Amino acid sequence: MKVIVPPIKSQGIKTKLVPWIMDLAPKVEGRWIEPFLGTGVVAFNSGHANALLNDTNPHIIRFYQGIKDGKITPQTVRTYLEKEGELLHNAGDSGYDHFRFIRDRFNEEGSPLDFLFLSRSGFNGMMRFSKKGNWNIPFCKKPNRFSPSYVTKIVNQVAKVSHVIQDGWDFRSDPFSEIIPLANKDDIIYCDPPYHGRYVDYYNGWTDEDEQKLYSLLKETEAKFVLSTWHHNNYRENKMINKFWNDFNVVTRDHYYHSGGKIKNRNTIVEALVFNFEVSDFDEHNHGVRHKKPVEQLEIFHGMKKDEKQNTISEEQLMEWTKSDNVFQDCQVDSPAKA
Ligand SMILES: C[S@@+](CC[C@H](N)C(=O)[O-])C[C@H]1O[C@@H](n2cnc3c(N)ncnc32)[C@H](O)[C@@H]1O
């Protein structure tokens, strides 16, 4: 499956898991409903003509609504990024002066193109907002971030997404509790909520009550659903699996991610998909995965000492530091944003 990659980035992006999710999700007559849209990568690969796509982060919804309405086009994105990229290139403090200018303008005015700029020039493609709702990810420290090839890559991503978004796609910015009850028996709901016990920010607070509410709504729904969550990592298990999600079917898969640019900064987590329908020919663990060198991978991970994993700034550290309202401006990062 060739995955359509969205122009907006975030640490929770499910790009690598899309084929697994789409293999599991049944084809339905009704709508694709996504109460926690995020970057949109799963919806953009769902292939549905009718959809209800929602996120409490209004910047995400405004961006994709702008594409649907034809206000944001590949050409407007190119013109904008070429202009702002040039200003970034020539700005003082190795480009940081212009990054701050765009960040402050975005915090004042909330322009979708400034949102795209920050998403594509922030540290490691992360998205995070402070307690006041301000952008809270530092610059990737590459004054030449918007090189001609990078601008073209983003413009192509906008072009693909504008092609995929259909007239029958409805974008909303409401709490999930107002979206799930709108589903009927012909629809499929895909839920990717903030992970319990993990990231927290202005748009991603997630409490025990939220998880309980989500469970109750999914238990009641007549629609089919697939829920993404984490199952366990090397240090702990997700207690919500036993508390709620084992009431349904659960499949799992190993997922590797990097908290820095080096191979030794690789971490692993076991992801889960929870669902309320029957499947055949679907492996309970690592469906569709072909490990080239499983033993070597295991050794790299298990042989690591704790301090070896953290010779650069990890995403967890960054998460901790950016919890305050101080925008974290001076970190030395060595891992370029992957896009
Ligand atoms: C884990 S992310 C989704 C990632 C997405 N599947 C992707 O691949 O990019 C969770 C999203 O839920 C949104 N969100 C958090 N709390 C919410 C709530 N109560 N109702 C609706 N959306 C919420 C966040 O803004 C965030 O974009």
Side-chain angles (χ1 to χ4, degrees), residues 56-331:
T56 44
N57 182 335
H59 304 296
I60 291 173
I61 297 303
R62 237 179 267 142
F63 184 81
Y64 290 128
Q65 185 69 54
I67 291 184
K68 186 184 170 192
D69 295 344
K71 289 182 186 148
I72 297 172
T73 66
Q75 190 51 51
T76 59
V77 168
R78 178 176 292 283
T79 306
Y80 168 91
L81 289 180
E82 283 176 353
K83 177 178 164 230
E84 299 301 345
E86 175 78 13
L87 292 169
L88 184 78
H89 182 63
N90 296 324
D93 195 10
S94 306
Y96 225 135
D97 283 350
H98 195 59
F99 180 87
R100 285 189 200 101
F101 171 79
I102 299 282
R103 182 199 66 201
D104 294 348
R105 184 170 73 184
F106 170 75
N107 289 338
E108 279 287 310
E109 300 169 8
S111 148
L113 291 178
D114 286 345
F115 177 53
L116 177 67
F117 178 103
L118 295 171
S119 174
R120 299 309 290 254
S121 59
F123 170 76
N124 240 9
M126 294 174 75
M127 190 191 299
R128 190 178 175 88
F129 293 85
S130 71
K131 282 184 216 144
K132 291 181 183 155
N134 290 335
W135 182 262
N136 200 17
I137 289 293
F139 182 36
C140 67
K141 294 215 159 178
K142 289 179 180 288
N144 195 26
R145 184 66 179 138
F146 294 105
S147 64
S149 62
Y150 196 58
V151 169
T152 296
K153 182 177 190 169
I154 299 169
V155 167
N156 289 342
Q157 289 166 344
V158 172
K160 283 217 175 94
V161 163
S162 51
H163 190 68
V164 161
I165 294 177
Q166 311 279 312
D167 289 343
W169 286 24
D170 186 10
F171 290 96
R172 306 261 186 111
S173 191
D174 290 318
F176 71 91
S177 51
E178 292 179 22
I179 299 297
I180 294 175
L182 301 177
N184 63 49
K185 66 175 179 35
D186 294 328
D187 297 329
I188 170 118
I189 307 170
Y190 170 66
C191 284
D192 185 14
Y195 283 6
H196 182 267
R198 295 178 66 82
Y199 309 124
V200 175
D201 86 341
Y202 188 75
Y203 296 110
N204 282 286
W206 194 253
T207 62
D208 285 8
E209 289 72 36
D210 290 319
E211 193 96 358
Q212 166 83 60
K213 180 83 191 161
L214 181 62
Y215 167 77
S216 306
L217 290 170
L218 291 178
K219 199 158 177 74
E220 277 165 25
T221 186
E222 290 190 319
K224 295 193 169 66
F225 79 79
V226 175
L227 164 83
S228 280
T229 189
W230 67 286
H231 196 275
H232 64 273
N233 61 22
N234 276 8
Y235 309 103
R236 61 202 173 105
E237 61 185 40
N238 179 0
K239 296 202 167 70
M240 299 296 145
I241 296 282
N242 263 334
K243 189 167 177 192
F244 297 127
W245 304 119
N246 275 342
D247 281 6
F248 305 101
N249 299 317
V250 180
V251 291
T252 52
R253 178 172 164 150
D254 300 328
H255 182 55
Y256 300 97
Y257 65 95
H258 285 82
S259 56
K262 299 177 181 170
I263 191 145
K264 64 185 175 183
N265 289 325
R266 184 162 58 183
N267 293 313
T268 191
I269 188 167
V270 174
E271 289 276 335
L273 293 178
V274 178
F275 53 102
N276 65 344
F277 47 87
E278 294 308 316
V279 284
S280 53
D281 291 338
F282 203 94
D283 299 333
E284 263 183 48
H285 185 61
N286 279 346
H287 175 85
V289 175
R290 264 169 279 139
H291 283 303
K292 282 189 194 136
K293 292 182 180 173
V295 175
E296 194 181 312
Q297 283 180 350
L298 230 61
E299 277 170 6
I300 286 168
F301 187 75
H302 290 300
M304 255 190 313
K305 292 195 192 109
K306 204 169 176 200
D307 54 350
E308 278 178 337
K309 286 186 224 166
Q310 294 183 349
N311 66 339
T312 58
I313 291 171
S314 72
E315 288 186 13
E316 263 100 12
Q317 279 173 304
L318 191 82
M319 289 297 177
E320 277 306 310
W321 288 330
T322 55
K323 265 180 195 160
S324 73
D325 265 327
N326 303 321
V327 176
F328 186 65
Q329 293 183 348
D330 294 310
C331 68

Side-chain angles (χ1 to χ4, degrees), residues 13-14 35-39 41 55-57 175-176 192 194 203-204:
I13 193 166
K14 284 284 185 292
F36 308 91
L37 183 66
T39 64
V41 69
D55 200 293
T56 44
N57 182 335
F176 71 91
D192 185 14
Y203 296 110
N204 282 286

